[in-house]
Amino acid sequence: MIFLPLVAAIVLALAPQVGDVGARWLWLATAAVEVVLVAIVWARYTTPGPGRLALDEKVNWIPGVRSSYHVGIDGLSLPLVAMTVVLFLACAIYSMRQSDRPRLHAALLLFLQSVSLGLFLAADLILFFVFFDLSIVAMYFLIAGWGHAGALRSALQFFLYTFLGSLALLVGFIGLYVYSDPHTFDMLELTAQLPLAGHGVAGGSVLAAVLLGLAVKTPVVPFHTWLPPAHSDASAVGSAVLAGVLLKMGTYGFVRIAMPMLPGAWRAWAWVIIVIGIISVLYGALVALAQRDLKRMIAYTSVNHMGYIVMAVGAAGLVAQNSQQARGIAVTGAVTQMVSHGLITGALFLLAGTLHDRAGTYDMDQFGGLAHTAPRLAGLFAVGAFASLGLPALSGFIAEFQIFTGSIAVAPVTAVALLGILITAALFLRALQQVFTGELTGKSIGFADLGSREVCATGILLGFSLLIGIFPAPLLAVIDPASSALITLLGR
């Protein structure tokens, strides 16, 4: 499952005779097979026991430092793996008419899919770090090679910021290794050992390094400044993968590494993490409200939505009497939000890409009454906007309802972040009114509506958001046991 896309990427890179049409179809077929494989894994999945992973595979890799190729899956990683393969399938469909070096474009996206799946399945810190860094390299080339004007500068800024963050992450991983006994990079062993328990200063320092690396990738305020230009200058597919998958690598690191391996330090820093989350929620929403560029507006809503996740995992660190259930709900909401945001924002960025493809701009002031000429685009964007603002019957509501229920129960001050939902609703409704309603003006005149390829790509993502919103039980049944186990680990 991890290496099938990589094999396809190598074939495309080394066999130019495949041709552009063949490259598109090979990418689509590989992405579809990946969805089938993950569906089989989901159907056969049973919750692993405490301290274990399902489908566990371990092979010696760097025995000198006890680092191994160790992968496995549980209720924290399976939903993100499923979201990843669905999003890459949507991107493959969307790119079926990609005319700019389609073979190289497909190879790069397939490589990025392998890297992303490897990170979510990694059970070794060095393996996690390798996939983390390779994702930065692949996204750099995707932005620089297929972005808009200014893409090179934005790609460089993205690379430098996130690479610097990854170095901080590596320092944190080495800290965990140094204090472990016996020394190891294995995640399960480190979670069982708690190598920094009782080392207050050292534990806080290692957590700070890990948090810095993950916060840059998430991103949260004040480490978010690379995000708007990266999204503005990336292609539609690049933005969809960046927001849908790569941002989740940071938040996934919180629940997979920082919380279970450094529970004492996490509890000590919980209020700092909560405050950063609340600031990100409100700042992201307010700055998004001020944007006239549709893509930058969506980018800043990502800062807002990542803030919800950070706030929830911070609240999970506030151990108090009879709070375990509430903290578990907050973590479940955070993981659900990772999946929901990937689906919704991926769809919104693909839809925004159609504006640039047809009109050459994301400036909302240059559109008006677009629903008259592009009713399919208007309808799908409205569904994406309502899902993003947390309307019931869509996945955003399920995620945010749990986040606020769990967070407010243990930290009532987090209710302040509810303002973020109100502001997000206002900015999306204003965008809908500005671009799609009223008289037909500007770039909307003669605008061609979505084709079947674009409808299918975005419809898949929004369809899953609707499915989770109406029938969330299968997803929550996978996440809930893992969240409860994480809360137990956090209480040690």
Side-chain angles (χ1 to χ4, degrees):
M1 188 166 67
I2 296 175
F3 294 109
L4 177 61
L6 179 61
V7 171
I10 293 172
V11 169
L12 290 180
L14 300 181
Q17 62 270 29
V18 171
D20 293 343
V21 175
R24 297 189 193 100
W25 282 104
L26 179 60
W27 179 18
L28 179 61
T30 305
V33 170
E34 287 286 291
V35 171
V36 173
L37 290 175
V38 173
I40 293 171
V41 169
W42 193 298
R44 300 179 60 183
Y45 175 79
T46 54
T47 301
R52 303 191 64 179
L53 294 171
L55 302 175
D56 200 19
E57 293 181 12
K58 189 173 183 178
V59 178
N60 280 337
W61 181 32
I62 313 175
V65 295
R66 297 195 68 217
S67 179
S68 58
Y69 174 79
H70 189 186
V71 296
I73 201 163
D74 66 2
L76 299 177
S77 53
L78 180 56
L80 290 169
V81 167
M83 181 271 292
T84 297
V85 296
V86 169
L87 182 56
F88 274 93
L89 175 63
C91 290
I93 296 171
Y94 187 89
S95 302
M96 283 301 285
R97 292 185 183 175
Q98 169 73 28
S99 58
D100 182 10
R101 295 160 290 162
R103 189 167 58 84
L104 189 56
H105 184 254
L108 190 57
L109 266 296
L110 285 164
F111 172 76
L112 189 52
Q113 181 170 356
S114 271
V115 168
S116 302
L117 292 174
L119 182 139
F120 291 132
L121 295 172
D124 181 279
L125 290 180
I126 295 300
L127 194 61
F128 181 96
F129 179 78
V130 168
F131 287 129
F132 192 91
D133 263 12
L134 288 177
S135 73
I136 297 172
V137 175
M139 182 52 68
Y140 167 80
F141 285 112
L142 192 58
I143 296 172
W146 286 268
H148 310 310
L152 283 175
R153 183 184 58 190
S154 297
L156 183 62
Q157 186 178 6
F158 158 79
F159 185 89
L160 292 177
Y161 265 73
T162 51
F163 188 67
L164 181 63
S166 76
L167 294 181
L169 193 63
L170 182 61
V171 170
F173 289 174
I174 292 174
L176 284 164
Y177 174 82
V178 168
Y179 278 87
S180 61
D181 185 19
H183 297 313
T184 182
F185 284 106
D186 190 274
M187 292 184 184
L188 299 186
E189 288 188 42
L190 288 168
T191 300
Q193 280 191 26
L194 294 185
L196 285 153
H199 299 274
V201 175
S205 301
V206 170
L207 179 64
V210 172
L211 283 182
L212 177 60
L214 299 176
V216 172
K217 193 72 174 261
T218 295
V220 296
V221 177
F223 307 111
H224 67 288
T225 52
W226 61 267
L227 184 70
H231 275 302
S232 296
D233 294 329
S235 65
V237 167
S239 288
V241 172
L242 176 59
V245 179
L246 266 65
L247 301 193
K248 309 307 175 302
M249 294 178 179
T251 52
Y252 177 70
F254 292 145
V255 298
R256 173 59 67 199
I257 299 169
M259 295 171 73
M261 296 182 197
L262 296 157
W266 187 273
R267 294 196 302 270
W269 285 53
W271 275 110
V272 175
I273 297 165
I274 291 171
V275 170
I276 291 173
I278 293 174
I279 291 173
S280 297
V281 167
L282 298 178
Y283 177 85
L286 287 170
V287 178
L289 185 63
Q291 301 302 311
R292 304 306 306 161
D293 181 300
L294 183 64
K295 214 175 180 191
R296 287 180 73 89
M297 185 197 81
I298 299 170
Y300 274 109
T301 63
S302 291
V303 177
N304 161 264
H305 283 87
M306 293 300 99
Y308 292 132
I309 297 172
V310 174
M311 182 185 75
V313 295
L318 297 177
V319 178
Q321 191 173 12
N322 299 323
S323 67
Q324 182 156 349
Q325 184 181 6
R327 293 185 293 126
I329 293 171
V331 172
T332 299
V335 178
T336 307
Q337 178 75 322
M338 295 182 209
V339 177
S340 173
H341 180 266
L343 297 171
I344 297 167
T345 308
L348 287 174
F349 274 123
L350 292 181
L351 291 171
T354 63
L355 292 183
H356 195 276
D357 288 345
R358 290 161 169 76
T361 181
Y362 297 112
D363 186 354
M364 290 187 282
D365 291 334
Q366 297 195 38
F367 295 92
L370 191 56
H372 294 290
T373 52
R376 290 192 288 272
L377 172 60
L380 286 170
F381 192 89
V383 173
F386 288 134
S388 187
L389 62 87
L391 200 72
L394 293 158
S395 59
F397 173 78
I398 300 298
E400 290 168 18
F401 174 76
Q402 293 180 102
I403 285 174
F404 280 105
T405 300
S407 299
I408 293 174
V410 294
V413 71
T414 56
V416 173
L418 284 167
L419 287 171
I421 295 179
L422 182 64
I423 299 170
T424 305
L427 68 90
F428 271 117
L429 291 175
R430 187 199 60 176
L432 284 169
Q433 186 179 39
Q434 168 83 41
V435 176
F436 295 102
T437 64
E439 294 185 6
L440 191 64
T441 59
K443 300 285 186 180
S444 299
I445 299 172
F447 192 96
D449 202 0
L450 300 183
S452 57
R453 165 185 59 90
E454 295 156 330
V455 170
C456 183
T458 53
I460 288 173
L461 298 174
L462 295 176
F464 273 103
S465 175
L466 184 63
L467 180 63
I468 293 171
I470 295 173
F471 188 47
L475 175 63
L476 300 182
V478 169
I479 300 174
D480 275 337
S483 299
S484 299
L486 180 59
I487 293 301
T488 301
L489 294 172
L490 200 53
R492 293 175 296 172

